[in-house]
Amino acid sequence: MSERPMHTCLRLEIPEHEETQAIFIKATWFDSHFDLSITNGLDAWICNASEAEVRERANQWDQPVSEYIETAERYLGFQQPGSTYCFVDAGNGQKRLSWTFEKEGTKLEWRWKCQLSPNNKKTTTGILDFLMDANIRLSEEVVRKTYSFDKLKVEAEKCLARSEKFNNEKAEFESAVYAKFVGVLNSKKAKLRELRDRLSKKETIRKSPQEDNESTDKTESYDEGSDELKSEEEAAKNLIGTSKSRKRNRRK
């Protein structure tokens, strides 16, 4: 299975003779090597870093090849803040591309020599075609994202409307249930009061005969006492009469 390359394109502004030169660096990244195409709009350069060259550079920096490729891709795929990029003459129309980075507190610099492209037009056209394709893909992605966003927005508004409707219906339902509950509760309270009044009346009716009986008993006991007093008075009178008769007989 052949490895599938990845492409990046970086726009750099390089200081040159108190001016700024813009260059485009298109890179094709493989697992163990990479290719660079560079243009300033007028001239073009290429750098084909072979597997042997990448392996040698990785050994010099005491890195695995995969880590070396990953680091180069990070700095040539996207301009890193704090890094100094240079693109200077190296003689015979060649250029030297370099960039700096820090590792464990030490500032390092990587350099690669770039050859003049044998076909400036082809190299520059390849870079422009890549940028145009990337722009089309990006525009299509923006359109898809915008459409998805608008669709999600509509769905969100529908969900919000349904949620508000549900909340309103819930509030109405709770109000109706509460009203019914209050009605039932008041009805139960009224029935309880009615039962309590009935019980109070029954207790009153039960107590009334007992009070009549108690009053009758008290009257009878009073009458019986009166009879006893009368009998005692009569006995006393009889006793007095008898004593008087006895005294009369003794005198005779």
Side-chain angles (χ1 to χ4, degrees), residues 176-244:
V177 170
Y178 179 74
K180 290 182 180 179
F181 174 77
V182 171
V184 172
L185 183 61
N186 291 334
S187 176
K188 295 294 183 183
K189 287 182 178 180
K191 288 182 179 180
L192 288 174
R193 284 195 297 268
E194 182 181 354
L195 291 174
R196 184 182 62 190
D197 294 340
R198 289 181 181 178
L199 290 174
S200 298
K201 290 180 181 180
K202 287 182 179 180
E203 290 178 358
T204 303
I205 293 172
R206 288 178 182 176
K207 288 180 179 180
S208 296
Q210 292 179 359
E211 291 177 354
D212 294 340
N213 292 334
E214 288 177 358
S215 62
T216 303
D217 293 341
K218 288 179 181 180
T219 304
E220 290 178 353
S221 62
Y222 177 77
D223 292 340
E224 289 176 359
S226 300
D227 293 341
E228 289 177 356
L229 289 173
K230 289 180 179 179
S231 62
E232 288 178 356
E233 290 177 356
E234 291 176 358
K237 289 179 180 180
N238 291 333
L239 181 60
I240 293 169
T242 303
S243 63
K244 285 181 178 182

Side-chain angles (χ1 to χ4, degrees), residues 140-192:
E140 292 175 349
E141 184 68 18
V142 170
V143 171
R144 286 195 299 269
K145 294 292 184 182
T146 303
Y147 174 77
S148 299
F149 175 78
D150 292 340
K151 187 176 180 180
L152 289 174
K153 184 178 179 181
V154 172
E155 292 296 327
E157 290 175 351
K158 289 181 180 179
C159 290
L160 182 60
R162 285 195 293 266
S163 178
E164 291 179 353
K165 181 180 179 181
F166 172 77
N167 289 333
N168 294 333
E169 291 177 351
K170 180 183 176 184
E172 292 176 358
F173 174 77
E174 290 177 350
S175 298
V177 170
Y178 179 74
K180 290 182 180 179
F181 174 77
V182 171
V184 172
L185 183 61
N186 291 334
S187 176
K188 295 294 183 183
K189 287 182 178 180
K191 288 182 179 180
L192 288 174

